[in-house]
Amino acid sequence: MGSEVLLEVPITQAGEHQSEHVLVRAPDMHSLVDPVYSPDGKSIVYVLANGKGSQIHRVDLATAVDEVLLDVPCVILAPAFHPSGDYLVFTADRNGVYNLYRMPPRAGADPEPVTHVVGGLFEPDFSPDGKKLAAASYDSYGFHLVVFDWDQMLPVSQPLPRLTPDWPALASNQKVADDTSLRSPAGVTASRAYHSLPRTRMDFWSPWLTASEDGVQGGLAASFSDPTGYQSLFALGGYDSDHQVPMGAVAYSYSGIYPILTLYGMSTPNSYPDLVEDTNHVFYEYAETVTLGGAAVSLPWLSVDHEIVLTLGYQYADREVIDKTAEDYRDEQLLTTNLFVGGEGSVFAQLQYFNGTAYGRSHSVEDGRYISAAVEQSDPGLGGDLSRTRTLCQWDEYVSLPWGENHIVKLEGIYGVSRGDEIDQGAFGIGGYGSLQADTTPGLDRNITLRGYADNTQVGLDVAKAGIAYRFPIYRFYQGASATMPVYFQQLFGEVFYEGGKAWGAESDDDPQNKWLNSAGAELNLSTTLLRFMEIAPGLGVAYAFDRETR
C-alpha cells in the first residue's frame, strides 16, 4: 500500500519527476493534507491525520526538521497563516461542530476558539493586509461566504458546548455500535454476506400532477433502494380524470450483477384527437388503455468522459379501447376501420452514447451530446397479433455559449421509421409533453413530444422532429427553503424554444394531416434539490402551436 508524501517542486518544472523534492513521507494509513507556506517562506505547515485524530506539523525547509505543533483527537482542516506570522487559524471539530481556532505557530501552544457557530466554518483565508478573514460558512440554507474583521475576533470566553447523545436516536446508535463490537474489536470478526433485498428502504415519496385543458392526471410516486444501490424500485399510481381510468407504472432494477437487470410494467391511457372519422366526415377522439410489461438487460461501458449503454429487452403490450370515448361514435358509420385492439409482443435493442457535462446548479446539460439508436421487432411468434419493425434515432447536441455561465443552446433531431403491419393508431405519434409513466420504461418511445399540441396530434408510420432551445440563468438562489425543510434552491432558469415535426404514413403529400407542425414558446424552470439528493426542475411555460386545428 502506498503512502502520501509532501513534496516541493519549482512551478516552472511541475510534472518533471526529477525536480521533485520529497520533504515528508506520511506513515501508512495516514493522510497528509492542506500544506501551506509560512509568510517568510522558510517553513511549511501541514495536517497529518488518521482515524484517531489530527496533527499540525511544521517542516523547516532549510534543515528538514519536522516538528509537531498540535496533536488532538479530532479533525483539523485548512490551516492558514496570518500575514504577520503570529497566528495559525484552522478549522476543527473539537466540540462536534467545525469552528475556527487560532494558535501561535509553536509547539505546545494551546488553540483558542474564535467562533461559536452551530453549522460550520471552513477554508479560512486572510486578506493580504491581515485585517480581514474570509471563510466558507454552512448552515441549513447551504454554503455561503462570510468575512470577519480580524481585530474583532477575540477568543471565545467560555469552552464551546459539546454535542452529546442526549436524545434517543444517538443513544440507540451508540447501543448498536456497542452490540456489534465496532469499538476496539478483540480480534478479526467473521465476515457476513451482504444481502441487499432485506435492507431496501424507501428513499422518498411524492405527489405528482399533470394538467391540461382536457383534465388532470395525478397520484403518488415513491422510490426505494438499498444502501449499495444494488436494488432500485420506482413506482407510481394515479388516476386520469378525463378518461376516468386508473394508471400507474413500476420499474425494478438490480445492478449487483453485470449486466444490469430491469423489470417493468405500465398501464396508461393514450388519446388520439380526431383519429376516428365517420361517413359524414365528423371526427371523434379515440382513447385506449395500454398495459405493458417487460424485461431488459443493460450493458454499460463507462469512461472518464463518456458512457455507452447497450440495452436488450422484451415486452408485451395490450391495447383496449376506453368505452367512455367509444360511446360517442358507437352507432355511426365509420371510415376509420383499422383500429387495433389486442396484444403485441416485441424484442428491442437500444444503443446510447452520452458525453455531456452537467452540474447540480443547472437543469440543463452544459455541453456534449446524447445519441441514441433503437430498433424493435414485433412478431406473432413473440406473442400478440402484429408483425412490424420500428426504428428510432435521436441526436441532442448541447453547446455552451461564451458570454455567460450556464448559457446553453440545445439542438435536437429525431427520426423514426416503421415497416410492416399498419394500424390506425400508427407506429409513432407526435405531440404532447411526455408522461411520467413512459419515462420509467426502457425501449422505444412511441409518442414524440411536441409542446403546444395534444398527444398523438399526428400518427403515422414515420416520424421526424427538429428543435432548438436557448437556456439561460435568471436568478441564482443557492439557499434552502427554510431552516428545517430539506429543499435547496439552485437557480431559476429561462428557456426560449422552437420545435417542429410531423408523423406521416399512407396519406398523400398534400393531405392536411401530413403537414409539418410548428411551435415556439418559453419556460421558467427552478433547479431544485429535494431530500439532499433528488434533483428536479419544476417549471412553468407557454407554447404557441402555429398549426393546431380542431375538426
Side-chain angles (χ1 to χ4, degrees):
M1 178 178 174
S3 61
E4 299 183 10
V5 298
L6 175 64
L7 57 84
E8 189 178 36
V9 62
I11 194 168
T12 57
Q13 298 171 347
E16 299 178 9
H17 181 70
Q18 64 274 14
S19 301
E20 297 174 352
H21 176 214
V22 176
L23 301 173
V24 178
R25 191 175 301 274
D28 288 343
M29 307 303 294
H30 284 67
S31 63
L32 193 161
V33 296
D34 296 337
V36 58
Y37 280 101
S38 61
D40 59 12
K42 295 180 180 180
S43 62
I44 293 177
V45 164
Y46 66 92
V47 176
L48 185 69
N50 61 10
K52 298 180 179 179
S54 304
Q55 297 175 337
I56 295 181
H57 284 241
R58 179 172 59 189
V59 57
D60 188 285
L61 296 179
T63 64
V65 172
D66 185 13
E67 64 174 332
V68 178
L69 302 185
L70 180 65
D71 187 352
V72 289
C74 68
V75 176
I76 295 177
L77 301 170
F81 273 100
H82 187 272
S84 67
D86 294 336
Y87 286 102
L88 272 174
V89 173
F90 56 89
T91 295
D93 68 341
R94 298 185 71 180
N95 73 321
V97 179
Y98 287 100
N99 274 280
L100 297 183
Y101 293 77
R102 77 177 189 184
M103 61 175 282
R106 64 174 185 270
D110 188 24
E112 301 170 311
V114 291
T115 64
H116 179 194
V117 299
V118 296
L121 286 165
F122 306 90
E123 303 295 335
D125 197 13
F126 285 96
S127 61
D129 60 9
K131 295 181 179 180
K132 302 289 185 180
L133 176 67
S137 175
Y138 179 81
D139 57 23
S140 60
Y141 295 96
F143 284 96
H144 50 276
L145 183 67
V146 294
V147 178
F148 301 96
D149 289 320
W150 175 246
D151 292 340
Q152 304 299 319
M153 295 190 72
L154 302 178
V156 178
S157 58
Q158 299 179 1
L160 299 185
R162 297 187 61 84
L163 295 182
T164 57
D166 292 333
W167 56 91
L170 285 183
S172 63
N173 290 343
Q174 187 63 54
K175 184 177 184 302
V176 171
D178 293 337
D179 292 344
T180 54
S181 301
L182 293 179
R183 287 182 161 187
S184 302
V188 178
T189 58
S191 63
R192 292 180 297 175
Y194 177 77
H195 300 286
S196 56
L197 189 58
R199 290 171 170 79
T200 300
R201 300 290 186 271
M202 179 183 290
D203 297 321
F204 67 87
W205 69 271
S206 174
W208 64 273
L209 181 72
T210 60
S212 68
E213 61 189 29
D214 297 320
V216 174
Q217 294 180 347
L220 294 176
S223 175
F224 306 80
S225 67
D226 75 291
T228 65
Y230 285 171
Q231 309 279 349
S232 176
L233 175 67
F234 179 80
L236 66 86
Y239 189 77
D240 181 285
S241 67
D242 181 28
H243 302 105
Q244 300 177 9
V245 295
M247 55 197 305
V250 60
Y252 165 78
S253 293
Y254 181 67
S255 58
I257 58 175
Y258 186 89
I260 298 171
L261 171 66
T262 301
L263 304 175
Y264 61 93
M266 178 182 72
S267 180
T268 185
N270 277 349
S271 62
Y272 304 79
D274 301 335
L275 180 64
V276 178
E277 181 182 6
D278 66 17
T279 54
N280 296 316
H281 302 294
V282 176
F283 294 88
Y284 306 88
E285 177 194 13
Y286 179 78
E288 63 183 4
T289 297
V290 177
T291 303
L292 63 83
V297 292
S298 300
L299 296 91
W301 289 276
L302 304 180
S303 180
V304 174
D305 58 355
H306 68 271
E307 65 180 22
I308 300 173
V309 181
L310 173 64
T311 303
L312 307 173
Y314 168 84
Q315 75 176 24
Y316 181 84
D318 182 72
R319 299 168 181 260
E320 293 290 339
V321 64
I322 296 177
D323 291 334
K324 177 178 179 294
T325 57
E327 292 174 357
D328 296 337
Y329 54 81
R330 191 181 305 279
D331 298 326
E332 305 294 335
Q333 296 293 320
L334 301 181
L335 297 176
T336 305
T337 58
N338 195 24
L339 294 168
F340 177 72
V341 176
E344 180 180 13
S346 60
V347 292
F348 63 86
Q350 182 177 25
L351 185 64
Q352 298 168 290
Y353 171 87
F354 178 69
N355 72 340
T357 302
Y359 302 97
R361 64 178 180 267
S362 169
H363 81 293
S364 175
V365 175
E366 297 286 306
D367 57 62
R369 62 194 54 85
Y370 168 80
I371 303 172
S372 171
V375 61
E376 176 188 87
Q377 177 65 53
S378 303
D379 190 270
L382 299 171
D385 309 299
L386 294 179
S387 176
R388 62 181 180 178
T389 302
R390 296 194 307 139
T391 303
L392 185 67
C393 299
Q394 179 175 349
W395 189 310
D396 296 342
E397 189 78 19
Y398 299 88
V399 182
S400 295
L401 299 177
W403 54 75
E405 185 181 47
N406 306 136
H407 288 255
I408 310 299
V409 167
K410 176 189 176 184
L411 305 171
E412 178 185 25
I414 298 175
Y415 188 77
V417 297
S418 173
R419 297 296 180 264
D421 291 344
E422 298 182 19
I423 59 176
D424 285 333
Q425 293 98 316
F428 298 100
I430 192 166
Y433 300 88
S435 69
L436 287 173
Q437 303 92 286
D439 290 341
T440 64
T441 58
L444 276 72
D445 292 330
R446 190 210 163 277
N447 191 69
I448 307 304
T449 62
L450 188 64
R451 285 172 281 190
Y453 294 88
D455 290 348
N456 298 303
T457 293
Q458 290 180 345
V459 296
L461 298 177
D462 304 327
V463 68
K465 178 187 175 182
I468 182 171
Y470 169 44
R471 298 172 175 176
F472 52 93
I474 297 176
Y475 186 80
R476 294 175 168 90
F477 292 96
Y478 299 139
Q479 66 180 34
S482 72
T484 57
M485 291 182 62
V487 180
Y488 188 81
F489 299 125
Q490 305 276 4
Q491 295 191 65
L492 179 66
F493 275 80
E495 175 181 321
V496 292
F497 67 87
Y498 161 81
E499 54 190 32
K502 71 174 183 176
W504 69 98
E507 308 91 347
S508 62
D509 290 340
D510 57 355
D511 191 299
Q513 288 299 295
N514 198 31
K515 66 182 179 181
W516 186 267
L517 304 178
N518 300 276
S519 74
E523 281 191 10
L524 292 176
N525 293 90
L526 180 60
S527 181
T528 307
T529 303
L530 290 181
L531 304 174
R532 299 187 301 275
F533 61 86
M534 183 181 176
E535 303 289 344
I536 63 172
L540 179 67
V542 59
Y544 180 74
F546 293 87
D547 308 290
R548 185 164 181 168
E549 296 179 356
T550 301
R551 296 186 294 175

